[in-house]
Amino acid sequence: MSLRIVVCVKYVPDATGDRHFAEDLTVDRDDVDGLLSELDEYAVEQALQIKEAADDAEITVLTVGPEDANDALRKALSMGADKAVHVEDDDLHGTDALGTSLVLAKAIEKTGYDLVVCGMASTDGTMGVLPALLAERLNVPQVTQLSEVSVADGKVTGRRDGDTASEQLEAALPAVVSVTDQSGEARYPSFKGIMAAKKKPVESLDLDDLGIDADEVGLEGAWTKVEDAAERPARTAGTIVKDEGEGGKQLAEFLAGQKFI
Amino acid sequence: MAEVLVYVDHVDGAVRKPTLELLTLARRIGDPVAVHLGPNAEEAAKVLAEHGAVKVLAADAPEFAEYLVAPKVDALQAAYDAVSPAAVLLPSSAEGKEIGARLAVRIGSGIITDAVDLESGDEGPVATQSVFAASYTTKSRVSKGTPVITVKPNSAAPEAAPAAGTVEQLAVTVADSSKGTKVVSRTPRESTGRPELTEAAIVVSGGRGVNGAENFPVIEALADSLGAAVGASRAAVDAGWYPHTNQVGQTGKSVSPQLYIAAGISGAIQHRAGMQTSKTIVAINKDAEAPIFDLVDYGVVGDLFDVVPALTDEVKTRKG
């Protein structure tokens, strides 16, 4: 039987751009170009490797986001995912992590799955809670923050490198996995992959399709509220010296003045 | 006054500093009730009481160590049911965030992560966060349910505030569905004797300019002279010169020490995201045009292999 893998990806504002908030204190998406979150590329890569090691597997890449988020799906498809699901609905604007996990969980259940693969965090919100939220909502094991992952005999195993220990984990499928940027470099899409991606199916779903009421999501339905967002004042210019043999001493003098020594 | 649950991060009963910071912040919004899961609650309770815990809810079960995260969520939920708190605070570690997230779903509440400050507000606690590589400061609150908030290390100075800290046993039933992810083995990380990166008051980081694993002892020597933790940029980690656990940056750890010293680090956005909220920033780099110099309080344009050892010697001399 085919192994059904769903990879959750996010379309995020480019971190090298100048990111801003819009007037309603959501992320201003018009201001900066978007792209597939770099940390999700690792998730796509691990899904591809799991598929390559399996007899029979199929990868669906899933995103929740505005029309442009289609770009993130195309990137994942050009890397080698088989098909895509795009949840898009005007009422989703301003949805927070809890709401997003609800939408993703419903879409994953509708698609059907044995394994859900996520990145460790998005590069915009950087919360890193979505995989745990999904595991809780789907009521399946969470095998998260993995630097190594493999699937065999209906089980997923992996290594989680924490601050104080490195753990070897194991869970029966279905399960939710998240992988870190240490799991292995993501492949670049080949020209052939890019061409093939154009022909791969992208299913579009809205809130009605998922049986979710508009007031459960969006800015109004969010479980959290941003009340204020202020641009951090630029740092005042610091002292910069050129080392002409005394740089270390001068620096020590500065640190002593600041009471660090 | 309302009670506030504080999840205790500890190693076999030795309470880690971020928990003491949480207790300090919790006292701004209510009476802290600490939740200690695992062994040696009595030992931990002494420290927790000194820092304001009015009560310590304690539970120990083999499942906490045998399975990942979920049994601890069962326990925290039991504490939540027992107390009906005004808020639940956890440290912003990978585990703290995951436990908080799952609890939030169960109790129908919103979650805020990586708060750097917390204050009491008319409609519940207000959390300050630093976002978009620290280019923005936001204030947020949880608008549905009981606020679940995770707080970054170094967000507050722990203050002593003696309280009763009475230990009460918490009855916990670990659900079968919480035994899904088995911890097959656990290898403790070898201690370097240096402070934990995210908790350290001073961090010394090396980057591409360190030019090889064999040169990192230059960085370590400075760190040791200052009692600091050692960090590394992504370039240094990807090159295999230093372990990933020491990576400072967007895909590594985010640090906010009193003093951050960047040696041989250009200051790419990736790195800045992880250190920009440091109180005092110092950089040493050969390239006068390196973007890191835009952030510094003090910068030295020079070869780190000259400047860092000279600084180390000077620190040692001054410290006697």
Side-chain angles (χ1 to χ4, degrees):
Chain A
M1 197 179 121
S2 180
L3 177 71
R4 297 165 301 171
I5 306 171
V6 177
V7 185
C8 300
V9 301
K10 189 174 183 187
Y11 182 71
V12 299
D14 188 343
T16 59
D18 210 2
R19 294 173 292 181
H20 290 285
F21 282 92
E23 255 174 48
D24 63 357
L25 300 182
T26 60
V27 176
D28 187 344
R29 288 179 174 274
D30 297 331
D31 217 32
V32 184
D33 286 343
L35 75 180
L36 169 61
S37 173
E38 184 205 325
L39 291 167
D40 293 342
E41 290 186 13
Y42 295 94
V44 175
E45 176 61 39
Q46 289 308 310
L48 291 168
Q49 291 190 20
I50 289 165
K51 177 180 167 166
E52 283 155 10
D55 291 336
D56 180 18
E58 184 182 54
I59 301 173
T60 305
V61 52
L62 165 67
T63 200
V64 178
E67 195 183 347
D68 293 353
N70 195 43
D71 289 358
L73 296 176
R74 286 290 166 202
K75 172 84 186 276
L77 290 172
S78 65
M79 287 172 72
D82 299 296
K83 59 194 180 78
V85 174
H86 185 174
V87 185
E88 187 187 354
D89 198 307
D90 289 344
D91 288 326
L92 284 168
H93 174 78
T95 304
D96 68 354
L98 261 288
T100 303
S101 71
L102 174 70
V103 177
L104 284 172
K106 296 272 188 193
I108 289 164
E109 278 169 344
K110 188 177 169 71
T111 303
Y113 72 104
D114 302 296
L115 181 70
V116 177
V117 187
C118 305
M120 61 188 279
S122 69
T123 54
D124 56 349
T126 67
M127 291 179 75
V129 295
L130 199 108
L133 291 171
L134 274 183
E136 182 67 37
R137 289 204 186 272
L138 295 168
N139 195 26
V140 299
Q142 72 165 80
V143 196
T144 45
Q145 301 273 340
L146 302 181
S147 47
E148 259 177 36
V149 59
S150 57
V151 172
D153 308 323
K155 278 192 300 200
V156 53
T157 54
R159 195 179 83 230
R160 172 168 163 128
D161 291 321
D163 286 345
T164 54
S166 178
E167 294 165 329
Q168 202 64 39
L169 305 176
E170 179 187 295
L173 299 179
V176 173
V177 157
S178 77
V179 300
T180 72
D181 58 331
Q182 294 300 296
S183 57
E185 211 159 309
R187 67 193 67 184
Y188 287 105
S190 62
F191 179 71
K192 205 174 135 202
I194 294 166
M195 295 314 286
K198 293 182 199 283
K199 296 192 188 113
K200 289 176 179 173
V202 178
E203 185 186 4
S204 190
L205 299 174
D206 62 16
L207 290 175
D208 279 348
D209 296 325
L210 298 176
I212 297 172
D213 289 336
D215 60 7
E216 291 180 84
V217 293
L219 203 51
E220 292 303 312
W223 279 257
T224 49
K225 185 170 172 29
V226 179
E227 296 194 319
D228 185 48
E231 204 158 0
R232 193 181 163 90
R235 278 180 171 264
T236 45
T239 309
I240 298 186
V241 300
K242 195 170 182 324
D243 176 39
E244 279 158 352
E246 295 292 307
K249 265 204 172 127
Q250 288 167 293
L251 184 46
E253 197 61 45
F254 169 79
L255 295 179
Q258 302 285 315
K259 310 237 180 304
F260 288 117
I261 312 176
Chain B
M1 213 169 166
E3 292 176 306
V4 176
L5 283 187
V6 172
Y7 179 81
V8 177
D9 183 14
H10 68 96
V11 181
D12 292 332
V15 179
R16 298 176 72 184
K17 185 165 153 266
T19 301
L20 306 181
E21 298 169 13
L22 285 182
L23 289 169
T24 301
L25 291 172
R27 284 191 284 113
R28 296 186 190 166
I29 50 177
D31 289 327
V33 173
V35 181
H36 179 101
L37 307 180
N40 303 327
E42 291 290 340
E43 185 188 322
K46 285 178 212 150
V47 182
L48 298 168
E50 279 168 26
H51 290 84
V54 296
K55 204 158 54 178
V56 179
L57 298 176
D60 193 7
E63 287 92 342
F64 296 151
E66 289 167 6
Y67 304 95
L68 190 73
V69 177
K72 291 178 177 171
V73 183
D74 290 343
L76 193 59
Q77 191 181 9
Y80 172 85
D81 291 340
V83 169
S84 302
V88 182
L89 306 185
L90 305 98
S92 267
S93 59
E95 186 185 72
K97 287 184 184 186
E98 291 181 341
I99 292 173
R102 299 188 68 145
L103 179 74
V105 171
R106 290 192 193 181
I107 64 177
S109 293
I111 179 169
I112 290 173
T113 59
D114 295 322
V116 295
D117 200 4
L118 203 58
E119 60 202 328
S120 169
D122 294 341
E123 294 171 278
V126 177
T128 304
Q129 289 164 291
S130 183
V131 305
F132 292 163
S135 60
Y136 272 86
T137 303
T138 61
K139 289 192 187 288
S140 310
R141 64 182 174 83
V142 168
S143 45
K144 286 188 194 170
T146 302
V148 177
I149 301 171
T150 78
V151 180
K152 279 175 68 169
N154 283 328
S155 295
E159 290 164 12
T166 321
V167 179
E168 287 179 22
Q169 289 304 313
L170 178 69
V172 177
T173 311
V174 176
D176 282 341
S177 58
S178 296
K179 299 177 188 170
T181 309
K182 231 188 280 177
V183 178
V184 179
S185 67
R186 180 177 287 122
T187 314
R189 194 165 295 289
E190 239 173 83
S191 171
T192 58
R194 298 191 180 95
E196 170 63 33
L197 186 57
T198 53
E199 298 170 17
I202 302 178
V203 173
V204 181
S205 288
R208 200 187 295 276
V210 176
N211 202 22
E214 68 279 10
N215 299 327
F216 252 87
V218 173
I219 304 295
E220 291 176 332
L222 175 58
D224 291 342
S225 75
L226 291 163
V230 177
S233 73
R234 180 162 178 182
V237 169
D238 282 354
W241 302 342
Y242 222 67
H244 178 249
T245 43
N246 296 68
Q247 186 185 319
V248 173
Q250 177 142 44
T251 61
K253 292 201 169 114
S254 158
V255 301
S256 197
Q258 296 299 319
L259 170 63
Y260 188 83
I261 302 180
I265 292 176
S266 66
I269 181 81
Q270 219 282 337
H271 190 75
R272 294 195 334 239
M275 48 65 77
Q276 202 154 351
T277 54
S278 304
K279 310 293 180 293
T280 300
I281 298 174
V282 166
I284 300 145
N285 201 303
K286 270 201 280 201
D287 177 9
E289 303 297 316
I292 191 94
F293 285 123
D294 295 341
L295 302 179
V296 298
D297 296 284
Y298 199 93
V300 181
V301 179
D303 188 338
L304 77 91
F305 294 107
D306 296 329
V307 178
V308 172
L311 175 60
T312 307
D313 286 346
E314 195 65 25
V315 172
K316 282 187 192 157
T317 309
R318 284 172 188 253
K319 282 193 164 175

